[in-house]
Amino acid sequence: MSELNKIALKILSNGKGILAADESTATMTKRLDAVKVYSDENNRLLFRQTLFSSSSMSECIGGVILYDETIRQRTSNGKTIPELINSSGSIAGIKVDTGAKILAGSKEEKITEGLDGLRERLNDYYELGARFTKWRGVYLISDKYPSKLSISANAHALARYAALVQEAGMVPIIEPEVLMDGDHSAKDCLMKTSEVINKCYEELELNNVDLKGTILKPNMILPGKNSGEKISSEEIAELTIDCLKNNVPSSVPGIAFLSGGQTEIEATANLNQINIKNNTDFIMTYSYGRALQQSALKFWSKDINNIVGTQTIFDHRARMCSMAAKGKWSKSFEKSQ
Ligand code: 5MM
C-alpha cells in the first residue's frame, strides 16, 4: 500500500469524515457577520480551535481542511493548529486554490486559480504539517451550463494541481462542485455532474495521478434549489451512487461529499441512505463545511467563551454524520441533542 493511499484511508475509514474549515477570510467574515460576531483573526481562531479540541474529533474527524491563515496560527497553549489536530489522531489538510475567478471566454462561469507558484507553496504547507490538500472547481448548472469550456478548463486545473500535490507527498482532494442553485431537475444534475466527473478523471489519468492516493469530493445528485422538485433521500442516494459508479475509476479509495447548502439534517439523512444503498467498493463519507458547523456557530455566537456548550453541539453533529457514514443514523437520534 502506498503512503498516499494509507493517508487517504486513515482520513476516511471507520465512519470518519472530513471537517471542511477552509473558509477563506471573505467567506468566514460572511458567516460571522450573519451571527453578529466581529470577524478578526482572534475570533476566527477561537471558533476553529474550539471545534478542533472537541471530543468527537478522535472518533469522527479523520481530517480537517484548513485555510492559509489557520494553518499558521497557534492556540493559547502555544500549540500549532496542525499539532492540535494531530493530537486527536486526525490529519491536517490545506486548501491550496486561490479562489474561483471569471473564466475568460465564458460570460458567467468560473475557473479556479492558484497553479502559479503552487509547487513552492506545497512544500511550505508540508513543512507546516499538512498531509492532504483541497482544490475546488465550481460549475454553474442550467440548460447551457456547464459549458464544455468550463468542464475542460476546471478538469485541467484540478489534474495539474493533483499531480503537483502528489509530487509533494500529500493526498489531493479533488472537488468538482456542481452548484445546487437553479431550477434544473435531479436528472439534469445527474447528467451534468457525470460529464464533469468523467472529464476530471480523463485529465487526472493524462497527468499520471495515482488515483489510489486521492479523494473525490463531489456534490450529491439533487434537484435545483428553485426547481420545486421534491425527491426522497432514497432517490438521491440511488442517483448519486449511479453517477459515481459509472464515472469514478474503482482505484479511487473514497468519496467525501460536500454539503453544498443542504441543511444539517438533509446532508446527514442523504449520506445515511447513500451508505445503506452503497453497492460499490468506495468508502462514502462526509467532507462538510456548513453541515458540520452551522448549529455550533449559531450557539457559539451567543457567548463566544462558552467552549464546552459549543463543543457539545459540534460533537452531536459530528457523531450524527459519523453514524450516517456507516448507514446507521436515524432521525430519532437527533432528539437526544
Ligand atoms: C468551507 O467552505 C469552503 C469554501 O470556502 P471559500 O468559498 O471561502 O473558498 C468550501 O470549499 C467547502 O470546503 C466545500 O464547498 C464544502 O463546504 P459545504 O459547506 O458545501 O459542505
Side-chain angles (χ1 to χ4, degrees):
M1 200 189 285
S2 73
E3 195 49 39
L4 295 184
N5 182 242
K6 268 192 217 156
I7 297 173
L9 290 174
K10 187 168 179 225
I11 295 170
L12 305 174
S13 300
N14 305 319
K16 290 190 182 180
I18 299 170
L19 167 61
D22 60 311
E23 299 87 353
S24 57
T25 300
T27 302
M28 196 57 191
T29 300
K30 236 192 272 168
R31 305 261 192 271
L32 292 176
D33 283 353
V35 294
K36 301 195 168 49
V37 174
Y38 182 60
S39 178
D40 62 12
E41 236 179 277
N42 284 338
N43 284 345
R44 291 192 290 270
L45 172 64
L46 182 59
F47 178 64
R48 286 166 165 158
Q49 140 186 350
T50 300
L51 303 190
F52 306 162
S53 33
S54 301
S55 65
S56 59
M57 284 287 296
S58 58
E59 312 140 46
C60 308
I61 306 295
V64 180
I65 317 174
L66 301 169
Y67 179 59
D68 183 81
E69 174 184 272
T70 324
I71 200 171
R72 299 174 192 280
Q73 286 175 318
R74 280 179 189 270
T75 67
S76 31
N77 299 332
K79 266 191 190 167
T80 68
I81 292 296
E83 280 165 359
L84 171 64
I85 291 168
N86 293 341
S87 68
S88 66
S90 184
I91 299 180
I94 179 81
K95 185 229 301 284
V96 301
D97 67 63
T98 54
K101 313 278 156 60
I102 290 293
L103 173 63
S106 173
K107 287 203 180 91
E108 299 159 293
E109 293 175 290
K110 292 191 168 168
I111 177 73
T112 303
E113 295 190 343
L115 287 172
D116 286 352
L118 181 57
R119 182 175 270 130
E120 293 70 27
R121 286 195 293 122
L122 290 172
N123 293 334
D124 187 26
Y125 287 137
Y126 188 97
E127 288 305 313
L128 289 166
R131 290 298 175 270
F132 73 102
T133 66
K134 197 202 84 172
W135 179 291
R136 171 169 168 254
V138 196
Y139 305 83
L140 293 180
I141 170 165
S142 68
D143 47 351
K144 56 180 179 176
Y145 295 141
S147 64
K148 294 262 177 248
L149 173 63
S150 145
I151 292 174
S152 154
N154 276 295
H156 176 79
L158 274 161
R160 284 196 52 209
Y161 138 83
L164 282 163
V165 170
Q166 290 194 332
E167 182 190 271
M170 295 182 279
V171 170
I173 294 186
I174 290 126
E175 182 181 3
E177 177 176 6
V178 177
L179 296 170
M180 241 167 90
D181 312 287
D183 55 10
H184 54 278
S185 65
K187 274 211 172 115
D188 288 336
C189 179
L190 171 64
M191 204 172 69
K192 309 262 178 164
T193 304
S194 298
E195 204 180 334
V196 162
I197 292 181
N198 203 282
K199 187 69 181 171
C200 285
Y201 284 104
E202 190 185 311
E203 289 287 332
L204 285 160
E205 279 169 19
L206 193 65
N207 281 268
N208 299 317
V209 173
D210 170 15
L211 297 181
K212 287 194 175 125
T214 65
I215 294 170
L216 177 67
K217 175 167 174 168
N219 49 286
M220 293 178 192
I221 304 300
L222 300 165
K225 250 201 252 166
N226 306 321
S227 67
E229 186 184 340
K230 295 263 171 291
I231 64 171
S232 64
S233 278
E234 285 83 349
E235 288 168 290
I236 291 168
E238 278 160 18
L239 294 171
T240 303
I241 293 168
D242 261 11
C243 173
L244 299 170
K245 213 169 161 177
N246 294 329
N247 297 289
V248 182
S250 57
S251 47
V252 172
I255 290 161
F257 295 97
L258 58 92
S259 56
Q262 299 177 66
T263 65
E264 291 175 343
I265 304 287
E266 283 165 354
T268 312
N270 292 338
L271 178 64
N272 189 54
Q273 274 305 322
I274 289 173
N275 277 292
I276 290 173
K277 292 185 183 297
N278 186 7
N279 55 0
T280 71
D281 288 334
F282 302 127
I283 296 171
M284 305 269 203
T285 186
Y286 47 95
S287 176
Y288 293 163
R290 286 162 286 180
L292 272 171
Q293 301 182 73
Q294 238 157 34
S295 295
L297 180 65
K298 213 166 149 199
F299 182 92
W300 176 76
S301 69
K302 292 187 194 122
D303 174 3
I304 64 170
N305 294 312
N306 189 346
I307 307 294
V308 174
T310 305
Q311 290 178 335
T312 306
I313 305 281
F314 175 72
D315 286 340
H316 173 75
R317 206 63 257 139
R319 290 187 176 119
M320 294 297 105
C321 287
S322 177
M323 282 194 215
K326 298 176 187 155
K328 294 200 165 133
W329 173 84
S330 147
K331 200 159 189 196
S332 60
F333 300 150
E334 295 291 345
K335 292 185 194 127
S336 59
Q337 195 177 342

